[in-house]
Structures are given as C-alpha cells and as structure tokens.
Amino acid sequence: MGGEPRDRWTGKLGIILAVAGSAVGLGNFLRFPAQAARNGGGAFMIPYVVALVLLGIPLMWIEWTTGRYGGAFGHRTAPGMFHRLWRHPAIKYFGLIGIFGPIVIFIYYTYIESWTLAYAFFSLFGEYASATDQAAMKGFLQSYQGLNQTHFSSLAVAYAFFLATFLANCWVLFRGITRGIEWLCKWAMPLLFLIAIALAVRVLTLPAHPANPGQNILNGLGYMWNPDFEALRNPDVWLAAAGQIFFTLSVGIGVILTYASYLSRRDDVVLSGLSAASANEFAEVLLGGTIVLPAAFLFFGQAQMADIAQSGTFNLGFVTMPLIFERLPILRLFGATLPTGNLFGAAWFLLLFLAGITSSVSLAQPAVAFLKDELGITKRKAAILFIVVTFVLCQPAIFFLGNGVVDELDFWGGTFCLVLFATIETILFGWFFGIDKAWTEMHYGADLRVPRLYRYVIKYVTPIFLLVILSAWFLQKGPPALRPGSIRDWPAFCAKLRVDGYQEGKLLDFGDRDLRRRVWGLLPADARAAASEAANAREVAWAHKTAILAGLNQIMESPDLASHRPKGLSKDGLQQLNRSLLQAAFPAEIAPRRAKIIEVVLMVDVADPDRPYVLGARLMLLVLFIGLVVGLEIAWHKRRDLWDRTEPLEDPP
Amino acid sequence: MTAAGWLIAIGSWVGILALNVFCFYRFFTEKPAEPITREDTPPPQPPAGCQPAGG
C-alpha cells in the first residue's frame, strides 16, 4: 500500500519457523509438564493426542487456508477474511476479535517476556543466589515485580528490562515481515531448539540425589510419565488436554491468519501447517516434558512435587527452576571451575526469552497489518501507531500487576477471545464458506493430501469440540461477575458446595463430590446458617491467589482467621466457618488440598480493594475494542475497492 | 518409571519424531500431492469467488 512493495515470505521455511515461533512459548516448557503431571501423567497423552488430531491440526489447516485465501484478496486480518468467507455485513465485526485478542495478549505478554530477559542476567551474575528455598525465591520474584521491597526498592529494574524487551519488539516490527519476523525466527528458533536440547541432555545426565538415591532422573521421568488411567474417567482431564492443545498451537488468536496471508496463492498450506504443528509438539512433548518436572523431582523429591506441579506456570519457571539451577553440581574442566548453574540458568531464561519474543512479535502483526493494509497507511506509520498505543496500554499491567489487571487481561485476551474466535472461524469455514469449497481451497498448491476423513472432522467434530470447550470454560474460568452462583454470591456458593460438586467447587479441588459433601457436613449448623445468610460477598481477584498461597503457612498458624472475613458475615460466624473448613481439611486424605480451601475462604475478602483496577482494565479493553470498530468502519468506507474486489490480486512473479 | 510409563513416553516421543521426520522430509523433497479428483470434491474453481450472501 502507499507504493510500498507487498510483503512476502522469502521461503516456506520462513513461515513455518515463524508460525512455530509463534506457537512455541512459555507454555511448551512450563504449562504442558504441569498439566500432564496434574492430569494423569502419561495417561494425559491419550486425550492430548485426541485433541491434537481432532482440534489442533484441523484448526491449523483452517487458519492457514483462510489466511492464504484472504491474502489473495489483499486482506491481512480476520475482518476482511471473514468477509470473504461469508458476505454478511455483520461478520467483519466478529473478525475484529482476531486483532483485539492479540493486542490484549501483547500488552501483558511483553512484560512477562521481559522477566525472562531479566532473569537471564540475574542467573548469569548470581543475583538471586541468596534465595535458597521456594519461599525466598518467591519473595525475590515478588520483589522484582514490585510487590515487596526485600530485594528491589522499586520497579526501576523491572521497568528497564521491560523497555529493553519492548524496544526489541519494536525493532523487529519496524523491519517488517521479511527483514524482521522472518529473520528473527530463522535465527531464534534453531537457537531455541539447540538450547532446549542442551538443557534436556543436562537434565537427563544428572546424577541421583546424594542423600536420597530414589530421587533420580528415572523416577523423575516416572513422575511425569507413569500413567494413571483412572484420571481418564474425569471429564476435566479431557478438557485440560483440549485446552493445552489450544494454547500451545497458537490457534484462535488470529496470528496464523495474518502470517498465512503473506503466502503466495501457489504456496502449500497443508504440509506447512502440519510441519509447524509438529515442530511445536517436538518442543512441547520431547523437550518440555523432559526438562522441568524430572529435574524438580530430582532436587526436591516426591514429597514436594504435588505442590510444585500445582504451583502454576510462573512459579515453575521463575521460582522452582532457578533453585534447580543453583543446585547443579559445579563442573571442573582442565583445572578450571565452571559455574554450570549460572550458565544453565541463563540458558534456560534465554530459551524462554526466545520463545517469548518470537510469540510477541507475532501478536503485534495482525494490528500492524490491519493499520497498513486495511487502513492504507505506511508500514512505518502503522508500526509507530501500534507501538505508541500498546506502550500506553502496557502500563497498567506493569504497575497494577498485583491488583488483578494481568489476570483480567489474560482472561479476555488469552482465553475467552481465543475460543470464541476459533469457534466462529471454524463454523464459517466449514458451513458458510462450505466444506467443498474449503476442501478445494485447502488443497490448492498442496504438497500433501489431507485424509478425506477430515472433511467430516472439520465440518462436524471440530466445531462441536469447540462449543463444548467454550461452554465449559465460560463456567469454569469466566470472571466471577459472569459466572452464575460464583463465590461473589457467597450464599449461593455455599449452597452449591452443599449440594454437589458445582464447578466453582473445583476451586476446592477435593477430587470427588462425596468429599465436598463431607466437608459441608462437617460444618456446624450455626456456621452453615451464617454462610447461608451472608450477603454482599465480594468479587474474587485472581491475582491474589498467588499472594495468598505464598502466605498460607503463616496464615495457617494465625490465631485470628476472622480478620479475613467477607462483608456481611459476622466475625464469629466467619471464624466458625473458617475453622470448620480448616478442620475439615485436616484429615490425612485431603491434607494436600487444604491450601486450596483456605485460598477460597480467604480470597473472598482480600479481593475487594482490586475491584477498581479490574473495572479499569475492563474499561481500557472496551475503549480499545471501540477504537478498533471505528478503525474498521473507516477501512470499510475508505477501501471499498478492496472489500468489493471479486478477483484475487495477482501474485508477483 | 513403570513399564506403562516407558511405553507411553517412548510411544509419544517416537510418534512426534516420526511426524517431524515425515513433514520435513516431504518439505525438503517438495513432492506435490496428488490432485483432488472429481469423486472427492466438485471440480476446482478459480479462487476468485465472491461468495453469495448467506453463503
């Protein structure tokens, strides 16, 4: 546009690495092993593979095909592509989700990415060496995030690393597709795989724990891979596997659509899409499944593994892993002492940084492409506008991290938009564009023939799968205000707890409904009555879970649990309720769950101060979406030639 | 590590490695797929298509 040459990938390898770079992220190395360990170990691979075959790979092909098809008409983003799939005047607005979602993720992802860069330096120079256990390392992370001042007096260091990371992203964006993203991915992805393989080899060759020979790498692999087939009877395990496939392949974001739009009409999408997916699986299952949990088992032993696996992605990456690298044996080589812990620690965080930056630049591309190609402004101006807007939007995520802002952004951008967008595009592709036409389009220039069975998978199975996930996630992970009978509604929550295993009770994570009933049954009558009568309970802020969990041990010892009380519940009533719940949690069979119970009981109260921040974040997102709608309206009227085009643009020779 | 654990781990690793080898072998040998036949789909049309309203 504007006389600029059309962007193109210089080769198919470029786009495969770019899509793989977008897909391979922190989740491959941190989220996957934790999900597998929590959901049946090796047995998790059964639903995982089913979801890959029925959901992940079909979505890959749908997005590659739609992207290339839209690109042939000069569209680089979902609004125009959806318009090509179905000429309905409203459908382009749904396509905006494919620009809005990536921007929202970019806003907080860039900040998290900057932590990995910072930790690479910290690791190299031994900055966190004084933190020798989980609590101390968690304190270091929180201090870095500005949540306490034990190691860092302000956010200055974190902000400096954020600026460095943001500028690195800007530099790649300014250089465009070929000289920016393709160049980055051609260097970063091989380097990422090399580092990951080196780390995996190091982990697999670690000697057993000297004091406890049972803590060895084989048993560590066993912790990760030994199957618990009973878990397959739990629908949540199947849902978790589908969710993992969804997140790991970067489908439903809109990025692949934009990347594929730079393909030529003659380029293959079938083999390329499958190759990108398989490269991502290599990083996830072979490397991600080998590094984190087996190493954690070796150093921390079976007793702490349940807590480690449950501690969440960030704790695994920024708390557990640094502790592991600190404990790596020192290597003596030709008389010299090599601080292998520092080196492998730096390599680990460099690996995460590379995984992060190849993902973050991809998240920026739909918005930049929308500004450039739909609104017709120059590449440079599009990049500048994107950078200025997102820089402003990043600030709440940095300064109000502890107030639930990032969790709010993650819900809308990283969960809700993904599933909704994927569901819409799949239905459009298989039903409105039509499976016959879609099938032909998919095979145009293909280097590989898709089995005919996939015609039915794409048309029937994948959309149904997505609708089930969308419904289940809405109930489980929706913001409290949107979930029926959530903890915000304390009496309803308690009533649900009493009746059966309501989804919200999943937070209690008791494992079975009988146990939940039993906990309720253990409550004294007055506590039950108090809970049932309580009103005006407050909203849950997800960010506080981490902080609360960090202080659980101290809280458990606290004589006065009543200081954490939901509004509307009398002090005595709450004290009784808390104590009863805690007592109920003490029996040996549910002891590991007590943290969750306390979390649920306590977070009701501490959440309230965050409500303005959460509402502010929602307002920010609303303004952003309205801005995109206005931009689309301008594009629609300004570039009618593009929208009304009936013949594809000619490929450059 | 139990036998079942080994079986699943090695099965997963081999399966994914095989998929990668297959994809990148095909990728570098540039072997085009067989064209779609009439029995499979309607005759391929030029991609032009403006989809009529309502799809």
Side-chain angles (χ1 to χ4, degrees):
Chain A
M1 299 302 126
E4 290 181 277
R6 287 173 69 186
D7 279 317
R8 285 275 174 224
W9 302 101
T10 57
K12 279 193 294 178
L13 189 61
I15 186 180
I16 290 173
L17 288 176
V19 172
S22 172
V24 175
L26 272 59
N28 291 60
F29 299 97
L30 299 172
R31 194 174 188 273
F32 168 73
Q35 285 285 327
R38 274 203 299 253
N39 292 294
F44 180 73
M45 288 308 293
I46 293 170
Y48 182 86
V49 170
V50 169
L52 176 67
V53 171
L54 298 181
L55 185 69
I57 291 174
L59 274 169
M60 268 277 181
W61 284 330
I62 288 171
E63 295 205 349
W64 278 72
T65 307
T66 306
R68 187 187 62 174
Y69 183 69
F73 291 89
H75 294 294
R76 304 278 176 231
T77 48
M81 291 170 187
F82 281 13
H83 175 76
R84 290 291 156 195
L85 295 182
W86 185 32
R87 284 288 183 102
H88 189 281
I91 198 64
K92 59 182 179 292
Y93 298 104
F94 288 91
L96 278 179
I97 302 168
I99 304 171
F100 173 78
I103 297 176
V104 176
I105 302 173
F106 182 88
I107 290 168
Y108 63 88
Y109 196 87
T110 319
Y111 183 45
I112 295 165
E113 182 186 320
S114 74
W115 303 352
T116 62
L117 184 64
Y119 267 65
F121 281 95
F122 295 161
S123 202
L124 200 58
F125 297 110
E127 284 291 318
Y128 51 65
S130 59
T132 53
D133 58 32
Q134 295 266 350
M137 192 60 83
K138 205 173 283 184
F140 183 89
L141 174 63
Q142 288 176 344
S143 182
Y144 175 78
Q145 295 166 339
L147 302 178
N148 69 50
Q149 298 191 332
T150 52
H151 294 81
F152 300 93
S153 57
S154 72
L155 261 177
V157 176
Y159 203 82
F161 276 105
F162 163 71
L163 284 179
T165 306
F166 195 82
L167 287 174
N169 277 276
C170 296
W171 182 74
V172 176
L173 287 178
F174 264 117
R175 290 172 64 93
I177 288 287
T178 312
R179 291 170 58 237
I181 293 173
E182 188 171 350
W183 176 87
L184 171 75
C185 292
K186 277 184 171 172
W187 281 99
M189 290 309 291
L191 184 59
L192 180 150
F193 277 101
L194 279 177
I195 295 173
I197 289 169
L199 283 167
V201 169
R202 182 67 193 109
V203 167
L204 291 175
T205 54
L206 281 170
H209 194 283
N212 187 353
Q215 283 180 222
N216 57 48
I217 209 65
L218 274 186
N219 286 340
L221 285 170
Y223 183 84
M224 169 82 202
W225 289 101
N226 285 345
D228 168 18
F229 291 110
E230 280 296 302
L232 297 181
R233 295 166 66 178
N234 182 355
D236 286 347
V237 171
W238 291 80
L239 203 59
Q244 180 60 26
I245 283 295
F246 215 99
F247 286 123
T248 192
L249 290 176
S250 277
V251 287
I253 298 180
V255 166
I256 295 174
L257 295 179
T258 298
Y259 273 7
S261 76
Y262 296 105
L263 284 170
S264 152
R265 285 279 300 148
R266 295 181 295 269
D267 286 335
D268 153 86
V269 292
V270 175
L271 181 60
S272 302
L274 191 62
S275 302
S278 66
N280 177 73
E281 291 311 307
F282 182 86
E284 177 151 298
V285 178
L286 270 84
L287 301 174
T290 309
I291 298 174
V292 176
L293 287 189
F297 184 93
L298 196 144
F299 287 102
F300 296 104
Q302 177 86 41
Q304 293 186 51
M305 283 309 290
D307 286 340
I308 287 172
Q310 297 273 2
S311 66
T313 302
F314 291 151
N315 275 328
L316 262 182
F318 294 95
V319 175
T320 305
M321 288 308 283
L323 287 171
I324 289 170
F325 291 121
E326 274 184 0
R327 296 170 194 200
L328 282 182
I330 289 171
L331 198 64
R332 295 186 194 285
L333 207 62
F334 304 116
T337 302
L338 281 179
T340 54
N342 293 32
L343 295 176
F344 278 106
W348 163 253
F349 286 111
L350 179 62
L351 162 81
L352 294 185
F353 179 72
L354 293 173
I357 194 167
T358 49
S359 299
S360 61
V361 293
S362 75
L363 293 167
Q365 197 54 36
V368 174
F370 178 73
L371 293 169
K372 176 178 173 290
D373 293 301
E374 305 289 356
L375 285 170
I377 63 179
T378 64
K379 183 165 73 178
R380 193 178 183 79
K381 283 181 182 169
I384 290 172
L385 185 57
F386 175 82
I387 286 164
V388 169
V389 170
T390 52
F391 184 76
V392 172
L393 296 179
C394 281
Q395 304 310 310
I398 298 169
F399 289 102
F400 305 126
L401 175 76
N403 300 101
V405 171
V406 168
D407 294 307
E408 189 66 20
L409 298 179
D410 183 46
F411 168 73
W412 291 108
T415 305
F416 183 75
C417 285
L418 257 67
V419 191
L420 182 64
F421 184 76
T423 308
I424 294 170
E425 72 178 352
T426 305
I427 292 170
L428 279 179
F429 189 79
W431 291 84
F432 289 89
F433 190 54
I435 193 64
D436 292 335
K437 198 173 175 190
W439 194 252
T440 307
E441 178 62 29
M442 191 191 292
H443 283 89
Y444 197 79
D447 288 343
L448 187 71
R449 182 78 196 279
V450 178
R452 190 178 166 78
L453 175 71
Y454 269 95
R455 283 174 64 98
Y456 305 99
V457 171
I458 289 172
K459 186 164 185 181
Y460 300 105
V461 181
T462 308
I464 292 170
F465 211 144
L466 284 163
L467 287 170
V468 170
I469 295 175
L470 190 64
S471 311
W473 281 1
F474 193 76
L475 288 174
Q476 284 187 359
K477 298 187 176 181
L482 299 180
R483 279 175 293 166
S486 76
I487 196 167
R488 188 178 182 186
D489 182 357
W490 184 251
F493 171 72
C494 291
K496 290 288 185 182
L497 176 66
R498 180 185 58 214
V499 174
D500 60 15
Y502 170 59
Q503 288 293 357
E504 187 60 77
K506 185 174 161 52
L507 279 172
L508 300 176
D509 203 14
F510 288 155
D512 65 63
R513 295 176 176 193
D514 288 336
L515 211 48
R516 265 186 284 249
R517 287 200 193 95
R518 200 175 130 198
V519 169
W520 179 261
L522 285 169
L523 291 177
D526 56 343
R528 271 186 278 181
S532 299
E533 287 167 13
N536 303 321
R538 303 173 186 184
E539 183 174 353
V540 181
W542 296 83
H544 279 282
K545 289 178 190 172
T546 308
I548 292 165
L549 282 169
L552 272 176
N553 286 331
Q554 289 82 355
I555 293 166
M556 286 292 288
E557 303 302 321
S558 168
D560 183 18
L561 288 167
S563 59
H564 311 276
R565 73 173 187 278
K567 192 176 175 183
L569 191 63
S570 73
K571 184 176 176 180
D572 289 340
L574 180 88
Q575 192 168 29
Q576 189 70 18
L577 178 67
N578 280 344
R579 288 198 190 289
S580 303
L581 279 171
L582 293 178
Q583 284 163 9
F586 269 117
E589 71 269 31
I590 56 172
R593 321 286 186 190
R594 69 178 182 274
K596 283 285 179 191
I597 299 171
I598 300 168
E599 178 188 349
V600 169
V601 172
L602 298 186
M603 70 185 178
V604 175
D605 186 48
V606 293
D608 193 47
D610 292 341
R611 188 156 172 73
Y613 299 96
V614 171
L615 289 177
R618 284 182 199 165
L619 183 65
M620 181 176 89
L621 296 182
L622 184 65
V623 171
L624 174 64
F625 195 81
I626 290 171
L628 286 173
V629 171
V630 172
L632 181 58
E633 281 299 320
I634 295 171
W636 172 255
H637 290 100
K638 187 177 172 186
R639 302 293 313 279
R640 281 310 290 259
D641 58 319
L642 189 69
W643 293 83
D644 292 340
R645 183 185 295 278
T646 54
E647 295 296 325
L649 299 166
E650 289 199 9
D651 273 336
Chain B
M1 183 109 147
T2 62
W6 276 116
L7 196 68
I8 290 179
I10 291 176
S12 304
W13 295 338
V14 169
I16 287 167
L17 271 176
L19 183 64
N20 274 273
V21 169
F22 168 77
C23 285
F24 287 96
Y25 174 77
R26 287 289 299 241
F27 178 78
F28 286 111
T29 52
E30 296 269 348
K31 188 179 174 187
E34 294 168 19
I36 296 174
T37 60
R38 275 183 178 275
E39 299 88 68
D40 290 329
T41 58
Q45 297 167 356
C50 252
Q51 190 72 356

